[in-house]
Amino acid sequence: MSHNDTIPLYQSSQSDIDEIENMMNGGGFQSGPGTVLPARPPSPTRPSIPVSSSSSPFVQSNLPPPPPSSSSSASQKVTPVPAPPSLPPSVNFGSSEGSKTTGFGSPPNTLTEPVWDTVKRDLCRIVSNLKLVVFPNPNREDPGKALRDWDLWGPFFFIVFLGLTLSWSASVKKSEVFAVAFALLAAGAVILTLNVLLLGGHIIFFQSLSLLGYCLFPLDVGAVICMLKDNVILKMIVVTVTLAWSSWAAYPFMSAAVNPRRKALALYPVFLMYVSVGFLIIAID
Amino acid sequence: MDPSQAPVENYANPNTCLFHVLFKGAALAFYILSALFFNSFVIIFVVTVLLAALDFWVVKNVSGRILVGLRWWNEINDLGESVWKFESLDQESLARMNKKDSWLFWWTLYLAAAAWLILGVFSLIRFQADYLLVVGVCLSLNVANIIGFTKCKKDAKKQFQQFASQTIASRFQSTVQSAFTLV
């Protein structure tokens, strides 16, 4: 009798079944505290439905008895408001810190965690995504591993920052510069992703958007440097270096996602977009 | 927290309700009133989109959890496929949720989306493409939240029905078995 695939919902019914089994298995065993029961996975102390991502995407969690600190956690929100959080948080049941579930023995769930924990978690994710994408990293060859927990907040802030920097550097038509930069980058990321999908590549839409946004970080740095020093030669050098860095960051992900014969078709538009942003940075005065 | 008094219940989480409405209202108000004070499109764009993004985060991560006990997110599993996950509290906790809170939650969500839609129509009529960009971004953030939470609610009902029928079946089974042992 395999207990491994049943979900023990109520402990009382399970122990009844066990007693019946013991009696059936042989009179030599006595049911009692000293018996060695057949091994089965420990049943949770209260009914719970495990997460199965293949069948239904739905998870039920239990709220601990009336949370008195829900209003205090809401007021903690006042400080983290200016912090950049991430769009869809991925849940790591083991790693959510400071969860408010009391000693029920169940895994901490993120439905009842304090607000500050959510913010911290999202901030850490942005930083780790940035490090993963932009800086050299052993896991780079597998696109599935890169940016596993994608988030769109990092890209959002990088795009806005780049637009603001360009707009600040411009002496005329500041609004147009900002709008053009933002629209170019946002629409460009979407179109590049669609391009890869239409070439028959296998990527996830949001993951790719997220990656293209994070790869803007070097160009952001370049734009700031160019804003501070107005020398044309310096600008060209800085832009070339940061452009190469951005392209290097985006290359493995994009190239691994498509058929090798179509690699150039997928990569060329990405390079083109970053080159045009580079020209924008140089040309602004 | 205000004590619940029959028959009228007060808000159980007034701070959360306030923040839920605050950022939405601030984004809409700033967008509408900014034309009177600021000439620069950049400031309008950045502040409005920032407020809308903060509102999105607050609704998704805080007020959704606290006011209606729902949450949704996206994960990429080991096969590299993207999976949308929906989470809710179990049924007793859901029943314990304050009615006024959830009424406020859902209605302000819908009203904000409708307001952005109307503003979008205005900017379309006036042929202002850049303001349409702002409205487009804010509208898409609101709509994303609406869709996510609606799916969550529907899945919660479906899951509860499945769970209830499973519970009844297993209880029935154990009752029958214990009846047989007694015989």
Side-chain angles (χ1 to χ4, degrees), chain A:
Chain A
M1 172 105 28
S2 63
H3 286 286
N4 293 331
D5 34 315
T6 58
I7 304 167
L9 282 175
Y10 289 92
Q11 233 178 350
S12 55
S13 63
Q14 196 61 36
S15 53
D16 283 347
I17 296 176
D18 281 343
E19 281 183 2
I20 297 171
E21 274 179 42
N22 282 339
M23 287 195 284
M24 284 178 354
N25 281 344
F29 294 110
Q30 298 161 13
S31 55
T35 320
V36 174
L37 290 172
R40 60 180 169 86
S43 48
T45 52
R46 55 199 171 111
S48 63
I49 299 176
V51 177
S52 61
S53 54
S54 51
S55 50
S56 92
F58 198 77
V59 171
Q60 275 201 338
S61 344
N62 286 313
L63 183 73
S69 44
S70 65
S71 48
S72 69
S73 68
S75 58
Q76 282 175 31
K77 209 182 338 176
V78 179
T79 37
V81 154
S86 77
L87 217 58
S90 78
V91 170
N92 298 317
F93 278 99
S95 66
S96 69
E97 328 114 35
S99 162
K100 287 191 300 184
T101 43
T102 52
F104 265 74
S106 64
N109 61 57
T110 53
L111 207 62
T112 51
E113 64 178 5
V115 175
W116 184 231
D117 286 354
T118 314
V119 177
K120 262 198 310 197
R121 193 155 44 89
D122 291 346
L123 277 177
C124 288
R125 184 175 330 128
I126 294 183
V127 171
S128 76
N129 274 340
L130 186 64
K131 282 200 291 209
L132 213 69
V133 169
V134 175
F135 297 106
N137 167 24
N139 270 342
R140 292 205 66 198
E141 298 319 311
D142 182 359
K145 287 211 182 66
L147 277 190
R148 171 65 64 83
D149 341 316
W150 53 271
D151 73 288
L152 287 177
W153 287 106
F156 172 69
F157 280 105
F158 290 148
I159 293 182
V160 167
F161 184 75
L162 188 60
L164 280 176
T165 314
L166 288 176
S167 166
W168 186 278
S169 321
S171 45
V172 292
K173 287 190 171 187
K174 289 179 186 266
S175 307
E176 274 92 336
V177 167
F178 180 86
V180 163
F182 186 92
L184 168 74
L185 289 167
V190 173
I191 293 177
L192 286 172
T193 311
L194 285 177
N195 180 38
V196 173
L197 285 172
L198 287 173
L199 281 174
H202 301 291
I203 47 162
I204 298 164
F205 184 74
F206 287 111
Q207 199 179 14
S208 162
L209 282 185
S210 178
L211 175 96
L212 288 169
Y214 273 112
C215 290
L216 274 178
F217 176 74
L219 284 167
D220 270 356
V221 171
V224 168
I225 297 178
C226 290
M227 182 176 77
L228 297 172
K229 293 287 262 174
D230 212 6
N231 186 352
V232 174
I233 307 284
L234 177 70
K235 274 193 191 176
M236 287 185 46
I237 297 176
V238 165
V239 166
T240 316
V241 167
T242 52
L243 180 65
W245 187 6
S246 285
S247 309
W248 171 82
Y251 171 82
F253 186 80
M254 286 303 204
S255 68
V258 287
N259 198 334
R261 288 185 314 166
R262 298 182 174 171
K263 233 177 358 182
L265 277 175
L267 286 173
Y268 173 68
V270 178
F271 186 63
L272 195 62
M273 185 176 85
Y274 288 144
V275 163
S276 60
V277 174
F279 270 121
L280 258 181
I281 298 176
I282 297 181
I284 294 278
D285 63 353

Side-chain angles (χ1 to χ4, degrees), chain B:
Chain B
M1 291 208 288
D2 304 305
S4 14
Q5 307 151 2
V8 174
E9 223 184 333
N10 275 325
Y11 294 106
N13 295 300
N15 283 335
T16 314
C17 291
L18 176 70
F19 274 104
H20 177 80
V21 180
L22 182 73
F23 287 120
K24 286 202 230 307
L28 280 166
F30 189 83
Y31 178 79
I32 294 174
L33 297 176
S34 61
L36 300 172
F37 300 115
F38 293 105
N39 267 333
S40 154
F41 169 74
V42 176
I43 295 188
I44 297 176
F45 183 100
V46 172
V47 175
T48 311
V49 170
L50 198 67
L51 287 171
L54 283 174
D55 165 66
F56 179 89
W57 187 87
V58 164
V59 169
K60 185 168 186 292
N61 288 311
V62 180
S63 52
R65 275 195 283 132
I66 296 182
L67 296 183
V68 289
L70 300 170
R71 194 177 206 181
W72 57 277
W73 70 95
N74 176 283
E75 269 177 14
I76 299 186
N77 62 12
D78 294 330
L79 302 170
E81 295 160 356
S82 103
V83 175
W84 291 96
K85 294 255 171 86
F86 304 103
E87 187 184 8
S88 88
L89 299 174
D90 60 353
Q91 207 57 26
E92 309 116 42
S93 315
L94 273 181
R96 257 194 280 144
M97 289 273 146
N98 192 329
K99 291 285 179 298
K100 239 181 170 179
D101 277 355
S102 46
W103 177 89
L104 178 82
F105 179 85
W106 290 106
W107 273 103
T108 50
L109 221 53
Y110 293 135
L111 281 176
W116 282 116
L117 199 60
I118 294 176
L119 288 172
V121 169
F122 280 160
S123 65
L124 197 63
I125 291 176
R126 288 201 224 143
F127 294 116
Q128 288 168 336
D130 31 12
Y131 285 100
L132 198 59
L133 187 63
V134 179
V135 173
V137 170
C138 299
L139 190 62
S140 58
L141 288 174
N142 269 332
V143 167
N145 252 336
I146 290 181
I147 294 181
F149 279 113
T150 314
K151 273 204 163 151
C152 233
K153 209 164 71 147
K154 281 202 198 137
D155 270 353
K157 284 203 185 119
K158 200 172 61 160
Q159 199 71 10
F160 174 64
Q161 283 165 1
Q162 281 180 7
F163 177 65
S165 51
Q166 250 185 19
T167 316
I168 294 176
S170 69
R171 263 212 189 138
F172 182 68
Q173 193 186 22
S174 70
T175 323
V176 164
Q177 278 179 338
S178 48
F180 271 119
T181 59
L182 289 174
V183 161

